[in-house]
Amino acid sequence: MRQCELNSLRRNIETEIAGIRDALKRWSFHNETQAPVTSSELAGTGMSFLAWKKRMDQRLFELSRALSRMEGENYGTCEDCGEDIPIPRLQAVPDTMYCIGCMRSREN
């Protein structure tokens, strides 16, 4: 993977992390029965605020783990088969640890 591709993926992850942290900060000022400053994060999900917060916390963990893998040499390499994960897949799912073929095998 070229450094420019890695830098672009890192920026995308950092942008997503910043957005989640901002949404969590807005959420923290409200309790479970009140709507957050903006409800766009929950629009159409049917999700409770606590379920949403739990999902956001999990997503932060996943993205932080991806950033940690970027510091090493294994980011972008499938954990099952050892092949490079295609850049378009990493752009779509930056925290993935598996190529499409291995992920399909895991899902079956």
Side-chain angles (χ1 to χ4, degrees):
M1 176 180 318
R2 296 185 319 220
Q3 190 63 39
C4 64
E5 293 167 328
L6 187 62
N7 289 341
S8 176
L9 289 166
R10 180 178 284 117
R11 280 190 304 274
N12 291 345
I13 290 172
E14 289 169 346
T15 298
E16 186 173 349
I17 287 172
I20 291 170
R21 286 185 176 151
D22 181 57
L24 286 170
K25 186 185 295 183
R26 289 190 320 267
W27 179 85
S28 70
F29 293 112
H30 302 276
N31 66 36
E32 186 178 18
T33 61
Q34 295 176 318
V37 173
T38 175
S39 60
S40 63
E41 294 91 359
L42 298 174
T45 65
M47 190 181 302
S48 75
F49 291 113
L50 290 179
W52 172 80
K53 183 182 181 314
K54 184 177 178 181
R55 176 64 189 119
M56 292 301 101
D57 288 340
Q58 178 64 32
R59 185 67 181 149
L60 280 175
F61 172 77
E62 294 163 353
L63 293 169
S64 295
R65 187 174 56 187
L67 285 176
S68 293
R69 285 196 324 272
M70 284 181 171
E71 299 303 319
E73 295 182 12
N74 63 346
Y75 182 77
T77 302
C78 179
E79 295 221 346
D80 281 353
C81 71
E83 296 293 319
D84 287 342
I85 300 170
I87 296 297
R89 174 151 173 77
L90 290 170
Q91 289 169 332
V93 189
D95 58 308
T96 190
M97 296 186 293
Y98 307 103
C99 67
I100 291 174
C102 290
M103 181 55 87
R104 284 184 182 143
S105 295
R106 288 176 156 273
E107 290 173 346
N108 291 332

